[in-house]
């Protein structure tokens, strides 16, 4: 936290619901330890002015920050419970221009510490110029490359917390909720949606106006079972994939499988589901595990689609000029293979 640097860059406000236990240390924040009690907070995040879209640099814990090049929190407020959190979030939702009452919930993935997830939520809100209330669900990832088994168990435990957070966002007055989930966070999301469907909580489900899964680290058969139990999936339901996703390649090795949902090669396996797969392989750099948020070119491209569902004509073909790519429709499932402009 660095209040002295307020004003160095634009500020994004992020509301947080978390199943992490608080740090004992004086600088605040939340650890990788699990807790059964939901915690709520709000952070103001300074976005550095000297950066390219898609770049996310943040100081290490305890290190001095550079406000010109790094994301950092300028203020943090913790809430005594859901009621206080809900009241503050309600003010943010009702204060939106045009009375839109929108909320975007970001669910982080594997190997993510608390501040990293918050900064990613702020980066996505800033780079995509979102006017919706930014909400982050922070489950108890250990934030350690070797902690995959721990993170996987934490993701399973966290489904109740995400279900509760969705209820709080609806109760705060959101008319529409978009869920953006990454990596193992997609497992949390699918399990929470499955629970909501089983509980027949139509109030919350009716507010979910779209689900975006980025590099989903989910077994394909598990995803099919989850989707079948949910029934009618929120629309649009978009899955960003990459066949060069090295993190998912490692996950497949650890789980003894050839592929995960995020690097699926055979779209036929999802043919009976109403989903849109967007292949971002051509934009992969480094680990290739968060292409829609990391690639400036891809961000600029996707920004042209305020509503992904409107990108398709009735026959499933791409409307001319919207995206450079090819669309293949197999029953309900549609796959778009994106390519950089000019290719």
């Amino acid at each position: 936290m660095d209040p002295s640097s307020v004003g160095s860059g634009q500020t994004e406000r992020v509301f947080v619901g978390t199943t992490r236990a608080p740090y004992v240390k004086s600088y605040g924040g939340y650890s990788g330890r699990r807790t059964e009690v939901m915690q709520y907070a709000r952070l103001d995040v300074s976005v550095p002015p000297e950066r390219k879209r898609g770049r996310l640099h943040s100081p290490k814990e305890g290190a001095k920050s550079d406000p010109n090049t790094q994301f950092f929190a300028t203020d943090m407020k913790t809430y005594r419970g859901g009621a206080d959190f809900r009241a503050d979030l309600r003010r943010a939702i009702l204060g939106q221009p045009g009375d839109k009452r929108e909320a975007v919930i970001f669910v982080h993935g594997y190997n993510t510490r608390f501040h990293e997830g918050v900064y990613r939520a702020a980066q996505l809100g800033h780079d995509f110029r979102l006017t919706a209330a930014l909400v982050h669900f922070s489950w108890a990832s250990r934030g350690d490359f070797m902690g995959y088994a721990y993170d996987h168990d934490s993701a399973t435990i966290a489904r109740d917390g995400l279900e509760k957070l969705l209820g709080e966002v609806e109760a705060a007055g959101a008319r529409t909720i978009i869920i953006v989930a990454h990596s193992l966070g997609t497992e949390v999301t699918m399990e929470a949606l499955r629970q909501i469907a089983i509980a027949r909580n139509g109030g919350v489900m009716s507010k979910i106006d779209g689900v975006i899964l980025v590099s989903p680290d989910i077994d394909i058969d598990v995803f099919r079972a989850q989707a079948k139990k949910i029934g009618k999936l929120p629309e649009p339901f978009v899955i960003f994939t990459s066949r060069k996703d090295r993190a998912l390649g490692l996950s497949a090795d650890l789980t003894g499988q050839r592929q995960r949902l995020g690097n699926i090669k055979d779209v036929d396996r999802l043919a009976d589901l109403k989903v849109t797969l967007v292949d971002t392989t051509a934009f992969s750099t480094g680990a290739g595990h968060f292409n829609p948020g990391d690639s400036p070119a891809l961000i600029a491209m996707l920004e042209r689609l305020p509503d992904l569902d409107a990108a398709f004509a009735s026959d499933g073909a791409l409307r001319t000029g919207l995206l450079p790519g090819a669309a293949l429709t197999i029953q309900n499932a549609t796959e778009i293979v994106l390519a950089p402009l000019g290719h």
Side-chain angles (χ1 to χ4, degrees):
M1 210 88 63
D2 190 357
S4 65
S5 297
V6 174
S8 298
Q10 296 184 30
T11 299
E12 296 287 347
R13 175 159 287 182
V14 181
F15 292 86
V16 181
T18 182
T19 53
R20 297 174 184 265
Y23 270 124
V24 177
K25 298 178 182 179
S26 59
Y27 57 75
Y30 297 88
S31 69
R33 293 181 297 109
R34 305 164 185 149
T35 177
E36 295 181 358
V37 179
M38 275 285 286
Q39 310 281 320
Y40 299 96
R42 186 196 74 202
L43 289 88
D44 291 339
V45 178
S46 175
V47 179
E50 298 177 11
R51 61 179 284 271
K52 293 181 179 179
R53 296 174 81 182
R55 299 296 181 261
L56 179 58
H57 299 294
S58 61
K60 295 182 179 180
E61 290 176 348
K64 184 174 178 57
S65 60
D66 179 357
N68 292 315
T69 60
Q70 295 176 322
F71 284 74
F72 64 93
T74 61
D75 186 44
M76 178 175 178
K77 176 180 180 179
T78 57
Y79 299 94
R80 289 175 294 179
D84 291 342
F85 170 81
R86 190 166 57 246
D88 208 1
L89 177 59
R90 183 176 182 81
R91 283 188 284 271
I93 290 174
L94 296 183
Q96 292 174 21
D99 195 30
K100 290 184 177 181
R101 301 194 187 185
E102 297 175 335
V104 174
I105 300 179
F106 172 65
V107 186
H108 68 78
Y110 152 68
N111 188 20
T112 302
R113 298 191 178 190
F114 174 74
H115 70 281
E116 293 170 337
V118 172
Y119 295 160
R120 176 64 82 176
Q123 179 246 322
L124 293 175
H126 183 82
D127 285 353
F128 283 96
R129 299 182 174 94
L130 301 180
T131 58
L134 297 178
V135 183
H136 175 43
F137 179 62
S138 183
W139 52 276
S141 166
R142 178 167 283 170
D144 184 339
F145 179 76
M146 300 301 294
Y148 185 84
Y150 179 90
D151 278 15
H152 197 278
D153 290 342
S154 289
T156 301
I157 295 168
R159 57 193 174 189
D160 293 342
L162 179 55
E163 181 181 7
K164 183 174 180 60
L165 180 62
L166 283 164
E168 295 288 3
V169 174
E170 183 214 9
R175 288 176 180 159
T176 59
I177 300 171
I178 305 292
I179 303 175
V180 180
H182 176 231
S183 184
L184 267 182
T186 62
E187 175 78 22
V188 180
T189 298
M190 290 301 295
E191 282 295 302
L193 293 178
R194 180 179 180 274
Q195 290 188 174
I196 291 170
I198 292 173
R200 299 183 184 276
N201 190 344
V204 170
M205 193 65 83
S206 67
K207 298 297 192 303
I208 300 175
D209 204 38
V211 174
I212 299 172
L213 306 184
V214 181
S215 302
D217 189 0
I218 307 177
D219 175 272
I220 297 169
D221 292 329
V222 169
F223 174 76
R224 287 185 51 80
Q226 292 166 329
K228 292 288 187 181
K229 197 65 179 181
I230 293 168
K232 187 179 185 300
L233 294 173
E235 295 182 32
F237 197 104
V238 182
I239 304 170
F240 283 96
T241 68
S242 171
R243 299 182 188 187
K244 292 183 179 179
D245 190 323
R246 292 191 301 188
L248 290 183
L250 174 61
S251 174
D253 290 341
L254 289 172
T255 54
Q257 299 168 325
R258 296 180 61 185
Q259 57 186 303
R260 308 291 277 173
L261 180 62
N263 58 5
I264 187 171
K265 297 178 181 178
D266 184 5
V267 185
D268 285 325
R269 297 183 66 180
L270 305 179
D272 55 333
L273 302 177
K274 195 169 185 180
V275 298
T276 300
L277 280 81
V278 182
D279 186 339
T280 65
T281 302
F283 294 87
S284 295
T285 59
H289 196 45
F290 207 140
N291 292 343
D294 289 336
S295 168
L298 191 52
I299 290 172
M301 186 182 294
L302 295 175
E303 191 184 21
R304 301 168 61 196
L305 293 176
D307 184 354
L308 278 170
D309 208 32
F312 301 95
S314 59
D315 62 356
L318 280 175
R319 294 179 183 171
T320 303
L322 280 176
L323 288 175
L328 173 65
T329 299
I330 305 175
Q331 296 180 35
N332 288 325
T334 299
E335 183 182 34
I336 306 171
V337 181
L338 295 185
L341 293 170
H343 284 223

